[in-house]
Amino acid sequence: MTSPERKNPARTDCHDPLFGQHSGLQAPVVQPHKQSLLKRLNRIEGQVRGVAQMVQDDRYCVDVLTQVAAIQSALDAVALQLLEDHTRGCVADALRADSGSKGNGDKVITELMTVVKRFAR
Amino acid sequence: MTSPERKNPARTDCHDPLFGQHSGLQAPVVQPHKQSLLKRLNRIEGQVRGVAQMVQDDRYCVDVLTQVAAIQSALDAVALQLLEDHTRGCVADALRADSGSKGNGDKVITELMTVVKRFAR
Amino acid sequence: MTSPERKNPARTDCHDPLFGQHSGLQAPVVQPHKQSLLKRLNRIEGQVRGVAQMVQDDRYCVDVLTQVAAIQSALDAVALQLLEDHTRGCVADALRADSGSKGNGDKVITELMTVVKRFAR
Amino acid sequence: MTSPERKNPARTDCHDPLFGQHSGLQAPVVQPHKQSLLKRLNRIEGQVRGVAQMVQDDRYCVDVLTQVAAIQSALDAVALQLLEDHTRGCVADALRADSGSKGNGDKVITELMTVVKRFAR
């Protein structure tokens, strides 16, 4: 889990990778695909519940595994959407505001690469 | 989704890859790790709900992505448990009952490889 | 690396997971897809050399990455072929020879699951 | 393979995602980790040759699979190095040169996401 809570910063503050440590001032912004993400996550939650029911009902293991694979694909799609929005938003803004100085841009890219590695094969 | 419903067959019927199509006779058996799987899936369901709440609250995208990665790892572990139990149970039983004839054993392995490919990188 | 060398055992000895430690006696057997595997590996070797040449020639990084992804796919296919042949051969033979006793079958499955985990996402 | 050949552009031209189509003018630049990448790729080429030899010698399939997994890991590391250098170089330069206009930056990010998806799980 993440503590302390870090609000998704207003776009104009997004280039500050340390915003989480001195936040409070920033107006949170809505994810560009917020409603579609919530809808997808809601569906995934139902799929997980469905798999639990399949296990409860002693359904055939291969059928359960097929459903788990479907959830994995749905989560992959959510992750890629979040990653793309983050790159187009926070990362790009930080770099555009950064011309010449090499200030926050480098930190934002380091953070991005850490996330990419987590999802890489 | 899977239709028609296929009960996890009794171990002794497990080597029949077609049991799902003429079931009814088979007594379903409990997954060897049923309670632990249900507990894990319950926790994963809560994690998915937590990620939805993070998106709802406009939390920082990198923090959301970290939580999605945690769910993926938890699902990977569930899938590997199911796969191992299936191999030790249904697949091994089918092959042990199959000595010489090469009957259902081959079908069960074909089905196993399909599942493995789905989770392979 | 693997030491000491373990010959791919003759099918009839394949169910002994310890054969590597007291080998010498076993006649090695040809992989069922030996020629096709060698051909694929030869092509992959050339692809790796091609990527090195691209780096040497300062080719655009995205084009280099695309070629690396192609090699990964080719290696995935080799791994799945090896895994399927191993399961249909050594694993199935061990289990078929094992009816009732639960001797080497369990060890062979433990080894199989270790391999599967290595290639799972 | 990629045709026509696209030189890795000089850093200052790197933000032009179309540079490959009208190149010739650009001085190619050395990858920041060129020597280390070449060394790694050279080692990977040897590993692939080693696996072919193992197959040729009828070595035990599980040992062959272990070596294939080692090559996959080595290629993953090469890909992540290339990806990070590309992001810190071409992508960041394009965005830094792009402040306000939203010109090439968007195209460079689209290309980056395509690459990331190829390596994502």
Side-chain angles (χ1 to χ4, degrees), chain D residues 88-104:
Chain D
R88 287 197 192 284
C90 307
V91 175
D93 288 352
L95 287 163
R96 284 190 178 111
D98 187 55
S99 29
S101 75
K102 293 225 167 205
N104 288 321

Side-chain angles (χ1 to χ4, degrees), chain A residues 1-9 14 17 19 28-31 33-35 37-38 41-42 44-45 47-69 71-73 75-76 78-80 82-83 85-86 90 108 111-112 115 118-119 121, chain B residues 1-9 14 17 19 28-31 33-35 37-38 41-42 44-45 47-49 51-73 75-76 78-80 82-83 85-86 90 108 111-112 115 118-119 121:
Chain A
M1 290 293 162
T2 56
S3 58
E5 257 192 42
R6 296 199 283 177
K7 283 283 182 187
N8 204 344
C14 208
F19 61 82
V29 291
V30 167
Q31 286 267 9
H33 297 92
K34 185 170 180 170
Q35 289 315 313
L37 283 169
L38 287 173
L41 287 164
N42 196 50
I44 290 169
E45 192 196 324
Q47 285 176 292
V48 176
R49 211 159 30 230
V51 167
Q53 192 61 52
M54 289 176 86
V55 171
Q56 182 67 58
D57 294 349
D58 304 316
R59 296 279 295 279
Y60 184 43
C61 7
V62 170
D63 294 342
V64 181
L65 278 162
T66 301
Q67 285 308 106
V68 173
I71 300 176
Q72 298 271 36
S73 298
L75 275 171
D76 289 344
V78 164
L80 284 169
L82 284 164
L83 191 64
D85 292 343
H86 175 63
C90 306
V108 163
E111 192 184 48
L112 175 67
V115 173
R118 211 168 274 143
F119 286 93
R121 15 179 288 149
Chain B
M1 288 292 163
T2 57
S3 60
E5 258 193 41
R6 295 199 285 176
K7 282 281 181 187
N8 204 343
C14 208
F19 59 83
V29 292
V30 168
Q31 284 268 9
H33 296 92
K34 185 171 180 170
Q35 288 315 312
L37 283 168
L38 287 172
L41 286 163
N42 197 51
I44 290 169
E45 192 196 324
Q47 284 177 291
V48 175
R49 211 158 31 228
V51 166
Q53 192 61 53
M54 289 176 86
V55 170
Q56 182 67 60
D57 293 349
D58 303 316
R59 296 280 296 278
Y60 184 44
C61 10
V62 170
D63 294 342
V64 181
L65 279 162
T66 300
Q67 285 308 107
V68 173
I71 299 175
Q72 298 270 38
S73 298
L75 276 171
D76 290 343
V78 164
L80 283 170
L82 284 163
L83 190 63
D85 291 344
H86 175 64
C90 307
V108 163
E111 190 184 47
L112 176 67
V115 173
R118 210 168 274 144
F119 287 94
R121 18 176 290 149

